[in-house]
Amino acid sequence: MFAVIKTGGRQYRVVPDDVLEIGKIEGGVGTIVQLGEVLVLGGDTPVLGTPVVAGASVAAEVLQHKRGPKVIAFKKRRRKNSRRKRGYRDEITVLRITEILADNAKPSIGPRPKKEKVAKPADDGDEAPKAAAKPRAKAPAKKPAAKK
């Protein structure tokens, strides 16, 4: 089953477990958000919305909030000694689609549990010891210059 959703003025075709980057939306990292503007529900019998499918939504887990690549807007007018350089970076939210819902259903799948980092075991001296650092030789002291 797939769905076509609209968010941030753009349309996306999504299936469960898709990861996509959209314009920034509200929601903390690890929470489930519902996207309500579903234009098409696909499957065995596709349902087209007029303009949206009534009672349909898409549940997604917020993975990350980040900033997009830098975009430079440079304007120059020839022979006028006029230049303007502006840049910006879009705010982006990374989502993982968890499920596609119909008939005003609520999300049943919660956020995935975070993986815990495994601590590396301490070395018991099985490996060969590293070479000891050689002591540096001192530079000879400078002698004061003789007076004439």
Side-chain angles (χ1 to χ4, degrees):
M1 178 177 233
F2 73 92
V4 176
I5 61 171
K6 180 180 177 185
T7 178
R10 295 183 181 177
Q11 297 176 7
Y12 302 91
R13 181 187 184 276
V14 297
V15 295
D17 289 331
D18 265 359
V19 175
L20 67 139
E21 295 180 348
I22 64 172
K24 187 169 183 180
I25 59 173
E26 295 294 321
V29 175
T31 60
I32 298 291
V33 294
Q34 275 190 291
L35 305 170
E37 283 191 86
V38 178
L39 305 176
V40 176
L41 274 179
D44 297 334
T45 57
V47 179
L48 300 175
T50 54
V52 295
V53 178
S57 64
V58 172
E61 177 185 0
V62 177
L63 299 179
Q64 178 184 11
H65 292 293
K66 65 179 188 176
R67 297 178 74 191
K70 186 179 287 188
V71 178
I72 302 295
F74 183 79
K75 298 185 180 184
K76 179 178 178 175
R77 293 167 193 89
R78 295 185 308 152
R79 299 181 296 275
K80 303 281 193 266
N81 196 21
S82 173
R83 297 184 303 182
R84 292 292 175 266
K85 182 178 178 183
R86 289 185 57 205
Y88 69 93
R89 294 176 69 183
D90 284 328
E91 300 288 328
I92 292 176
T93 300
V94 181
L95 298 177
R96 178 185 293 118
I97 305 300
T98 55
E99 55 187 332
I100 298 171
L101 306 166
D103 302 326
N104 293 323
K106 298 290 181 194
S108 61
I109 300 173
R112 293 184 181 181
K114 294 183 180 180
K115 295 180 181 178
E116 294 190 24
K117 295 181 180 178
V118 178
K120 293 183 180 179
D123 290 336
D124 295 333
D126 294 339
E127 295 180 11
K130 294 181 180 180
K134 295 180 183 178
R136 291 187 177 184
K138 291 185 179 179
K142 291 184 178 181
K143 296 180 183 177
K147 293 184 182 180
K148 292 185 181 181

